[in-house]
Amino acid sequence: MWNVLVVDDSATSRALLEHIVVRLGHRPLLADCGARALALCEVERPDIMLLDVMMPDIDGWELAVQLRAIERLRCVPIVFQSSIEKQAEIDRCLACGAAAILNKPVRMARVAAILESLLGAATQPAPRCDAPAPLMQTLRPNGFSVPAFAA
């Protein structure tokens, strides 16, 4: 069972992702804004983080930068969830350390595929890396290629 941080200002999107995460057998950690996500990460340790891009207090890009600055979260995979389509926005997600992009509306099969490809098929949390390198630099040499997932 993995701890899956879900950050989205939309109650509907949060509820949908909570339902999917629970159905997949994992534990959702829910936050409705960036500030609450940062506070939650002080007491919980997510294994993967699903961040909405557009939020009112701290957008997903800035939140990703702030989460990456926390030593124990540096290697935790970040997945942006959004309806963005512009290449510049996709590039910005990747520049902020995204391991994948989940297009809205989200679908259970895509969430399951992302969790499995980023964390593995094991039921235990993925081992933590202690290197400060960005996640994509860690994944690419090991044969992983997960730049984006379409809806």
Side-chain angles (χ1 to χ4, degrees):
M1 177 186 301
W2 299 310
N3 289 328
V4 180
L5 176 64
V6 174
V7 186
D8 199 313
D9 60 312
S10 164
T12 302
S13 293
R14 251 188 347 273
L16 175 61
L17 279 166
E18 177 183 23
H19 174 77
I20 290 171
V21 168
V22 168
R23 290 273 319 262
L24 293 172
H26 305 299
R27 179 176 173 238
L29 306 173
L30 305 174
D32 63 355
C33 65
R36 285 194 181 89
L38 290 166
L40 183 58
C41 286
E42 290 179 13
V43 295
E44 295 283 356
R45 186 170 189 163
D47 296 299
I48 191 164
M49 300 180 280
L50 307 179
L51 311 180
D52 185 22
V53 172
M54 297 303 193
M55 294 185 289
D57 67 335
I58 303 171
D59 65 40
W61 297 309
E62 177 58 29
L63 179 58
V65 170
Q66 291 184 34
L67 289 167
R68 283 283 180 251
I70 301 169
E71 180 68 30
R72 65 188 180 84
L73 300 178
R74 188 166 289 153
C75 294
V76 174
I78 292 175
V79 176
F80 282 104
Q81 39 140 347
S82 184
S83 56
I84 60 173
E85 296 178 2
K86 295 179 183 173
Q87 187 62 45
E89 293 172 339
I90 293 169
D91 292 344
R92 188 170 178 194
C93 289
L94 296 173
C96 289
I101 299 170
L102 177 64
N103 291 338
K104 287 183 177 182
V106 298
R107 296 196 180 10
M108 190 154 112
R110 288 296 183 197
V111 174
I114 288 172
L115 292 178
E116 186 171 328
S117 64
L118 293 175
L119 298 174
T123 58
Q124 296 299 314
R128 303 275 177 206
C129 68
D130 52 13
L135 180 64
M136 291 307 289
Q137 291 176 356
T138 303
L139 293 176
R140 284 190 183 127
N142 293 315
F144 291 94
S145 177
V146 288
F149 284 85

